[in-house]
Amino acid sequence: MFKPNSFEYALNADTGVATITLNRPERLNALTFEVYDELRRAFYALHDEENVRVVIITGTGRGFCTGGDVEDIIGRLFERDMRGLLEFTRMTCDLILAIRRCRKPVLGALNGTVAGAGAVIATACDMRIGAESAKIAYLFTRVGLSGADMGAAWMLPRIIGMAKASELLMTGDFISAKEAHRIGLYNRLVPDGEALDAATELAEKLARGPSFALEITKDSLNREASMDLAGALEAEAQIQASLMLHPDFRESFDAFVEKRDPNFL
């Protein structure tokens, strides 16, 4: 497994739940060049990690992640030419691709403020559990940049609809965790201090499930976004027929007949 230097990584070998913890609480877990790079490498590595069934990403302190560090990234970007800037923006986009392509479910445990690139990282997760203090904003237009950053304009409308996504990406305004939950951006809302526990409980439930079926479900959600209905239906028909030959399908039937919990691969 890839061993990072810029954040914490832990794996519960009993449950198969891996937890990535951003750990710069004095900076509200703002990102550096190193954190961006190591995060994308970690998610690519987790894709093939056999002992990992579900991944959680969270932060320490009052913030989940407030985006690029003003001193360590933003200020230094003014030193780069177009080629250097494009190298950076492509790296940030590659992090999002790594999260979306990771075959394991990825849960965001949003322990506090979520902003800028941190908001897009949270958006890239398959599900988000927000603490009551986890206000969120896509801040890019407020600093003169496009709200369409790191895939936000592709992902966000698919989660909350075009109109609300347009508002959030164009204004850059914060919304409360309660509002984020109301519009469907957060799957669940929990009291402060309980986001990681709630995410871990959900992760352990998923980890007990059929990992291959979950992988195929995530892959289908990614692929079918660019398909027409007929193409999506045919893809699902073929995929489902294939999964009916997988041992987990038989195991679910046997467990039902024997009145026990299934033991999925």
Side-chain angles (χ1 to χ4, degrees):
M1 170 59 201
F2 179 78
K3 295 181 180 179
N5 298 312
S6 58
F7 52 84
E8 296 179 2
Y9 172 82
L11 171 63
N12 186 322
D14 293 329
T15 64
V17 175
T19 303
I20 291 172
T21 305
L22 304 175
N23 193 21
R24 300 182 74 218
E26 73 284 357
R27 304 289 292 176
L28 294 179
N29 299 315
L31 302 166
T32 65
F33 292 111
E34 182 183 24
V35 177
Y36 268 120
D37 186 44
E38 288 203 319
L39 276 176
R40 66 167 177 161
R41 292 175 185 273
F43 277 103
Y44 279 125
L46 287 165
H47 177 80
D48 293 318
E49 189 66 30
E50 292 183 359
N51 296 326
V52 175
R53 298 176 73 89
V54 183
V55 182
I56 297 171
I57 182 168
T58 190
T60 55
R62 297 181 296 110
F64 167 70
C65 177
T66 52
D69 191 288
V70 174
E71 296 178 4
D72 292 343
I73 286 187
I74 308 303
R76 291 171 58 188
L77 289 178
F78 292 107
E79 303 169 3
R80 296 194 176 199
D81 60 11
M82 179 61 184
R83 184 182 296 275
L85 292 170
L86 189 57
E87 179 182 89
F88 169 69
T89 55
R90 282 176 171 163
M91 178 181 69
T92 65
C93 288
D94 196 39
L95 165 57
I96 300 305
L97 195 61
I99 295 172
R100 291 307 311 155
R101 284 184 172 174
C102 181
R103 66 178 60 163
K104 319 300 168 62
V106 179
L107 308 184
L110 312 181
N111 53 292
T113 302
V114 189
V120 188
I121 291 171
T123 304
C125 295
D126 297 297
M127 286 170 265
R128 289 153 293 280
I129 292 82
E132 291 176 341
S133 64
K135 61 181 181 179
I136 185 169
Y138 302 82
L139 297 172
F140 310 108
T141 59
R142 294 176 66 174
V143 296
L145 297 177
S146 170
D149 190 39
M150 296 171 63
W154 190 93
M155 294 183 292
L156 195 59
R158 289 168 167 78
I159 298 172
I160 63 173
M162 183 65 76
K164 197 63 181 179
S166 297
E167 178 184 343
L168 295 185
L169 295 182
M170 289 182 179
T171 66
D173 289 343
F174 274 100
I175 59 171
S176 68
K178 183 177 180 180
E179 175 68 2
H181 180 250
R182 186 191 70 81
I183 64 177
L185 183 53
Y186 293 176
N187 297 78
R188 301 182 185 180
L189 190 62
V190 297
D192 284 348
E194 297 183 15
L196 181 56
D197 288 342
T200 300
E201 182 180 355
L202 176 57
E204 290 176 351
K205 177 182 179 180
L206 292 171
R208 292 190 295 271
S211 60
F212 187 57
L214 294 177
E215 174 188 340
I216 294 300
T217 300
K218 179 171 181 174
D219 184 66
S220 296
L221 287 165
N222 284 333
R223 291 178 182 276
E224 291 185 28
S226 60
M227 293 182 183
D228 60 19
L229 177 58
L233 289 170
E234 178 59 24
E236 290 191 4
Q238 293 188 26
I239 289 167
Q240 204 72 307
S242 297
L243 283 172
M244 289 173 182
L245 298 174
H246 194 277
D248 280 344
F249 184 56
R250 181 71 196 201
E251 169 62 13
S252 68
F253 174 75
D254 290 343
F256 175 79
V257 172
E258 297 167 14
K259 295 181 173 55
R260 59 174 176 81
D261 292 330
N263 181 23
F264 291 121
L265 296 177

